[in-house]
Amino acid sequence: MTNHHTNPKLGMLLMISMAMLLPVMDTIGKYLTNFLSPGTIALFRFVLQATLFMHLLGIQRKLSLPRAQWKTLMGLGALICVVMLTLMLGLSVLPLATFIAIFFVEPLILVFFSVVFLGEKVGWRRITACFVGLLGALIIIRPNYATFGIYALMPVLTAICMAGYFTLTKQLQGKMDGIAVQGWATLFGTGFLCAAMIAGHLSSFEDMAFALPQGIHWAWLALSATIGVLAYVLIAEAFKRAPASLLAPFQYLEIVAATILGYLVFGDFPDAITWLGIAIILGAGLYVFYREQNTSELSD
């Protein structure tokens, strides 16, 4: 088994690469909302992503479904389905940097979930930092809610479900390979997305209207799915080589990349209120990561 601390510098480079790639995937998704419904984009991206994961597992000869874990994998599939839908619904109207900035309350929500569902001990300083980070999210959401309505809450729903996904994933640590977990969860998630698309069609919900992608849209969807799989592999490889406390802050480079891409591709640039919220979320998140490095302390 690879030592988690064998090559911290390479681990950091892999994490930085992931942080630069994910906003590209989200940029593609947001661009495609000009031509396809958010539900259609989510569905076909998942179909392609699941295909890539299953092919990768086939190469590794790990295609058999662990029967003892199927309920957990189905739960992960349901969560990642909601993540994908809320991601695409939010990106269809919100500026890219604004969405990603609000989404980064996810590590803070994960702290709460770790306490409630995993019984982890967290001191009052980290809990306070989490509430401060959530306040930063509210600062960003408030003016956007007035403009975009319920869609301004999509990043929060994405963050909650993603935190739930990571919490549930911890139950499979040591029982399944990480890529296998992601692959089977994506496959189950594709099934849930199909059901959601049928329900959306029957209810005439425009954002879930089904349409076959045309021409170049297939190429964009394939690129987006490939980036999604590659990003997960980069994360997995990074955590094999460096401790989580060293790597976690590099996730926030996504906000930098999203701001640049949002400006270059869509002409969006965060206003002063959004920057204030981003600064609060960043500060709270980095403080939580700093406190987590001091795991030998009995309390905060």
Side-chain angles (χ1 to χ4, degrees), residues 241-257:
R241 291 165 173 79
S245 58
L246 178 64
L247 297 176
F250 288 103
Q251 296 176 59
Y252 288 113
L253 289 174
E254 287 185 47
I255 296 177
V256 177

Side-chain angles (χ1 to χ4, degrees), residues 192-203:
F192 284 117
L193 269 170
C194 288
M197 288 297 292
I198 293 171
H201 175 74
L202 294 176
S203 62

Side-chain angles (χ1 to χ4, degrees), residues 14 178-179 231-241:
L14 292 171
I179 292 177
Y232 182 82
V233 173
L234 287 172
I235 292 173
E237 291 301 315
F239 278 95
K240 288 180 183 178
R241 291 165 173 79

